[in-house]
């Protein structure tokens, strides 16, 4: 396989840019085509059937872009539709944020319980707990849906009293179980890391699934012999289904740098 082909990364909207950011830092030679379904976001409160349908459409689009690997950056899609992606992708390798997050959480747990936070659909699916238990059947997992975090992050309230109070309220039951690590099981939550670190205190490790996904991708590309060796300027494409108000500002906050040109897909 031609190692200069791009990696396809996708999400329900712009949150998956946290994964792209981690990939750009960890794998600077890789080309990336990012797909954000900004016209239909949020997915975290939608039904499994709807998410499966949307996920199949996005997977097919990215396969047509001749990607060498697919990364499901959206925790909600990874929770309920990862099988759909793997079935359609056939021999193209697929990674998802939940497998990366579960691996890192088990490595970090050191005999203590694991907390998982995510959207209602992700938490109701129990996907994190299942993946974690497949790796370590004995570990205790405590999950908590945090539906208000996505709008708070999109509002830019990353260090705001309302967000702090919301986090304290959501995390109370998980922290009462004295967990050793907390998995940030949603694309938006890495932006809340400084605030969450304060709320959980120094004894709880935060597992950032964006960073762990980039690590897993690096290992997989090497293992398959398809890591890019291309030394010229890297090409990044950002494809979305809508360009809503404040898109640029929010997108650049997630990506940590300028977005450049964004392509709007007419479906
Ligand atoms: N990308 C979603 C996730 O990681 C959050 C936004 C949404 O609900 O679509 O779960």
């Amino acid at each position: 396989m031609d190692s200069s082909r791009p990696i396809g990364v996708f999400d329900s909207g712009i949150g998956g840019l946290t994964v792209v950011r981690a990939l750009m830092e960890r794998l600077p030679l890789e080309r990336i085509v990012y797909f954000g379904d900004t016209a239909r976001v949020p997915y975290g409160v939608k039904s499994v059937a709807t998410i499966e349908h949307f996920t199949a459409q996005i997977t097919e689009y990215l396969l047509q872009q001749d990607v060498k690997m697919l990364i499901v950056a959206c925790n909600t899609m990874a929770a309920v539709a990862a099988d759909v992606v793997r079935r359609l992708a056939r021999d193209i390798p697929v990674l998802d944020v939940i497998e990366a997050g579960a691996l890192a959480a088990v490595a970090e747990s050191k005999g203590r319980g694991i907390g998982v936070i995510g959207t209602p659909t992700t938490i109701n699916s129990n996907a994190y707990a299942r993946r974690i238990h497949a790796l370590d059947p004995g570990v205790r997992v405590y999950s908590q849906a945090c539906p208000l975090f996505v709008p708070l992050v999109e509002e830019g309230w990353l260090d705001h009293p309302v967000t702090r109070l919301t986090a304290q309220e959501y995390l109370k039951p998980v922290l009462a179980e004295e967990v050793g690590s907390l998995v940030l099981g949603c694309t938006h939550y890495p932006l809340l890391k400084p605030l969450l670190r304060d709320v959980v205190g120094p004894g709880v490790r935060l597992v950032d699934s964006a960073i762990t996904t980039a690590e897993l991708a690096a290992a997989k590309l090497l293992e398959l012999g398809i890591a890019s060796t291309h030394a010229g300027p890297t090409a990044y494409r950002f494809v979305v289904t809508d360009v809503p108000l404040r898109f640029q500002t929010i997108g650049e906050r997630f990506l940590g740098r300028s977005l450049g040109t964004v392509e709007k897909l007419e479906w």
Side-chain angles (χ1 to χ4, degrees), residues 11-12 41-45 73-76 119 122 150 185-188:
D11 178 48
S12 56
V41 70
Y43 280 22
V45 289
C74 177
N75 288 259
T76 303
T119 64
T122 298
V150 166
C186 172
T187 47
H188 288 52

